[in-house]
């Protein structure tokens, strides 16, 4: 089978992990070019991964190289720009979350891809974390009966701004950066919301945006889901970058807690199961649960591009998460309840 040829746009913090995950799929894909506005960063990764071409001009790359798709791993402000460039050249697109800086730009990106008949995917990997996938399986098995309440928690005091200092400059921070993940996990586990209410706070005085957000949703099946996010929480059980999830049903509960332990509690008692991330040689052990999920997300998108299945994180699907993100800001600003 002919390999799909692709280029990576952006060679910052996340690129080496994204590329490492693609290398696990090199039977099906071939990385032929890198773009970065600071060329030396592209040259460094090109040497590391034997990539034949580097560019500091995105349009020149897209015009010179014969590509099946691009993987956009740049800051959110450039996502609409690179999406439009590639779509008009008939090149399929994978774009990092969050999709776009504004709701309207996200809508325009989708329309551009539809008009030009190119595939559009969002690299949303939290739903692909091994513990969350197993939790989803356990929930679907019916072992806790009909779920009626859930809490999704990502709260810690990790100095996220050290690795990504640009985040401190964002007027809208934790919901766009982290909420894109957590609200997508809520959809993955429980389906769509029929109402939403959000409250936010800024605890860190040295940043521009909010670093605490709490989102309450009633899902279409009636389940109440509380999603809490914080980078200002100094806690006994901090496990960055782990997500904790408690789901309560009429026959029991499921709890994904610290260090990837899933506890199933029914009237018969509690059982425990550990599900640890795959330790690929390119992952940072401190980020293993996130980094290893990049492979699963890439593989799912690849199968979609190859026509073997419908990928989970298409642009169309992720747009529903985008709506929850921006509706959360609207709800917080207006102290309102959003109904769907």
């Amino acid at each position: 089978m002919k390999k799909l040829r692709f280029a990576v746009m952006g060679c910052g913090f996340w690129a080496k992990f994204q590329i490492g995950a693609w290398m696990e799929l090199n039977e099906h894909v071939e990385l032929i070019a890198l773009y970065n506005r600071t060329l030396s960063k592209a040259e460094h990764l090109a040497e590391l991964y034997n990539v034949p071409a580097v560019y500091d001009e995105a349009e020149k790359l897209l015009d010179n190289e014969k590509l099946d798709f691009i993987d956009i791993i740049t800051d959110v402000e450039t996502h609409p720009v690179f999406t439009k460039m590639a779509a008009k050249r008939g090149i399929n697109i994978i774009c990092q979350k969050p999709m776009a800086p504004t709701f309207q730009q996200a809508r325009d990106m989708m329309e551009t891809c539809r008009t030009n008949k190119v595939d559009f995917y969002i690299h949303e990997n939290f739903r692909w974390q091994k513990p969350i996938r197993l939790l989803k399986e356990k929930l679907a098995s019916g072992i806790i009966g009909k779920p009626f309440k859930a809490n999704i928690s990502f709260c810690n005091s990790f100095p996220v701004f050290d690795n990504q200092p640009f985040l401190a400059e964002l007027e809208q921070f934790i919901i766009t950066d982290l909420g894109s993940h957590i609200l997508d996990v809520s959809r993955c586990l429980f389906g769509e919301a029929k109402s939403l209410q959000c409250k936010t706070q800024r605890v860190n005085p040295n940043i521009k945006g909010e670093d605490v957000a709490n989102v309450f949703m009633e899902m279409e099946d009636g389940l109440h889901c509380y999603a809490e996010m914080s980078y200002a929480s100094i806690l006994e059980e901090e496990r960055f970058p782990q997500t904790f999830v408690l789901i309560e049903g009429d026959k029991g509960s499921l709890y994904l807690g610290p260090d990837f332990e899933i506890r199933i509690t029914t009237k018969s008692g509690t059982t425990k199961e550990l599900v640890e991330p795959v330790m690929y040689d390119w992952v940072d052990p401190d980020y293993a649960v996130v980094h290893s999920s990049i492979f699963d997300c890439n593989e799912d998108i690849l199968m979609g591009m190859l026509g073997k299945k419908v990928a989970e994180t298409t642009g169309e699907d992720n747009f529903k998460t985008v709506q929850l993100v921006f509706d959360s800001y609207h709800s917080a600003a207006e102290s309102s309840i959003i109904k769907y």
Side-chain angles (χ1 to χ4, degrees), residues 183 186-187 190-198 214-227 320 323-325 327-328 330-332 336-340:
L183 295 174
S186 76
R187 293 184 52 246
F190 310 121
E192 306 305 332
K194 67 178 181 181
S195 70
L196 172 153
Q197 185 174 19
C198 177
N214 299 294
V215 183
F216 178 77
M217 292 168 284
E218 183 177 7
M219 313 310 281
E220 287 183 346
D221 65 356
L223 179 140
H224 292 175
C225 180
Y226 178 65
K320 298 173 185 176
Q323 184 166 18
L324 293 181
V325 166
D327 282 348
S328 293
H330 179 76
S331 170
S336 62
I337 298 174
I338 308 294
K339 295 185 177 181
Y340 301 105

Side-chain angles (χ1 to χ4, degrees), residues 253 255 261-273:
S253 64
Y255 178 54
E261 181 180 78
I262 294 178
R263 297 188 180 195
I264 305 172
T265 300
T266 65
K267 289 184 177 180
S268 300
T270 298
T271 61
K272 304 175 184 178
E273 185 171 348

